[in-house]
Amino acid sequence: MLPPCCADSTTSPARPVHGPVPVVTQYATADLIGAIAYDGHDPALDPAWQSTGAPTRARYARWCRHMCGIACLRMALLHRDGQAPPPFQLLSGASHFKAYVQQSGGGIKGLLYLPFADYVRTTHALPVDVHPNLLMPDVISLLDAGRLVMASVSKEIRRPERDPEKRGGHLVLVIGHENGQIHFRNPSGHTPESRAAVLPASRFAAFFGGRGMSLDLPASRHRVAGRPSAEVIGR
């Protein structure tokens, strides 16, 4: 079990970075993400699929590409509480609140921010605000207030040396900023460095879709100096 959020905090710097915040990936096996993203590997072949709490291999394969927001929530809960429900239990709860909608053609619409925020507040007693219009200075201000930010970015933020074709569409958990650098956790990062990532704010902005949600953790425990450790948890 992980320690509660920022348990080793002794100071309150002006620009906080939360820690420890584990890395949780939306796929059961983090080492397969590169193959899934770029080589056509079938996620149904992930040998660890059952560890997510999925009832069947087919259900895991259908949903894993849509669970970046679930992974971000799980990271926040692990950070706050030291424990969290498995991914598919969180998915079931969020779906009950209509944060995901299964469409008639078989597609999945979501994650929908407003019902997801209702789910998080009601079920996990975690205050959350939805931000449909969010600029980078706003993100910095939220981080300075000690919040975690679920930011909509291009999924190609995992390869930041390349310019994205579009902004937004994938959620990452921003955990702080320091010296002009944005610290974040990427549920679909294909390398350890892209999962526990740090980018200049200007480069992060190139992938940022200008929307997201902010999570308000306990005010007395949420500031810590320095960069937090990154324990990779793939499930």
Side-chain angles (χ1 to χ4, degrees), residues 2 21-25 51-52 67-90 116 120 124 126 150 173 215 233-235:
L2 293 168
V21 180
V23 174
V24 174
T25 60
S51 66
T52 65
M67 292 181 66
C68 52
I70 295 298
C72 288
L73 172 60
R74 193 158 188 264
M75 286 187 269
L77 294 175
L78 284 166
H79 175 53
R80 185 188 68 174
D81 302 330
Q83 58 187 350
F88 270 76
Q89 183 176 329
L90 296 175
F116 181 75
V120 173
H124 301 288
L126 179 55
M150 291 174 60
L173 185 68
L215 308 172
I233 300 177
R235 51 189 179 276

Side-chain angles (χ1 to χ4, degrees), residues 101-122:
V101 177
Q102 300 189 53
Q103 298 174 305
S104 58
I108 298 169
K109 183 178 181 181
L111 190 143
L112 303 178
Y113 289 4
L114 288 174
F116 181 75
D118 287 341
Y119 162 64
V120 173
R121 294 188 202 103
T122 302

Side-chain angles (χ1 to χ4, degrees), residues 64-216:
C64 61
R65 298 183 191 273
H66 301 274
M67 292 181 66
C68 52
I70 295 298
C72 288
L73 172 60
R74 193 158 188 264
M75 286 187 269
L77 294 175
L78 284 166
H79 175 53
R80 185 188 68 174
D81 302 330
Q83 58 187 350
F88 270 76
Q89 183 176 329
L90 296 175
L91 174 64
S92 177
S95 298
H96 179 74
F97 275 74
K98 309 299 183 185
Y100 292 93
V101 177
Q102 300 189 53
Q103 298 174 305
S104 58
I108 298 169
K109 183 178 181 181
L111 190 143
L112 303 178
Y113 289 4
L114 288 174
F116 181 75
D118 287 341
Y119 162 64
V120 173
R121 294 188 202 103
T122 302
T123 305
H124 301 288
L126 179 55
V128 54
D129 289 328
V130 173
H131 305 280
N133 297 292
L134 201 58
L135 302 176
M136 281 304 299
D138 302 322
V139 174
I140 299 298
S141 294
L142 289 167
L143 297 173
D144 282 343
R147 290 195 166 213
L148 298 174
V149 178
M150 291 174 60
S152 178
V153 300
S154 166
K155 64 183 179 181
E156 281 303 300
I157 200 169
R158 61 189 165 212
R159 299 194 294 187
E161 70 281 0
R162 304 181 181 215
D163 292 328
E165 293 183 1
K166 68 172 187 176
R167 300 181 182 187
H170 172 64
L171 287 168
V172 299
L173 185 68
V174 184
I175 64 172
H177 75 106
E178 188 177 34
N179 299 323
Q181 304 284 308
I182 299 293
H183 296 244
F184 63 99
R185 301 288 190 252
N186 183 359
S188 71
H190 65 310
T191 65
E193 295 77 16
S194 65
R195 290 189 282 271
V198 182
L199 283 180
S202 59
R203 192 58 187 155
F204 185 91
F207 297 84
F208 180 44
R211 57 192 177 274
M213 292 171 277
S214 63
L215 308 172
D216 190 9

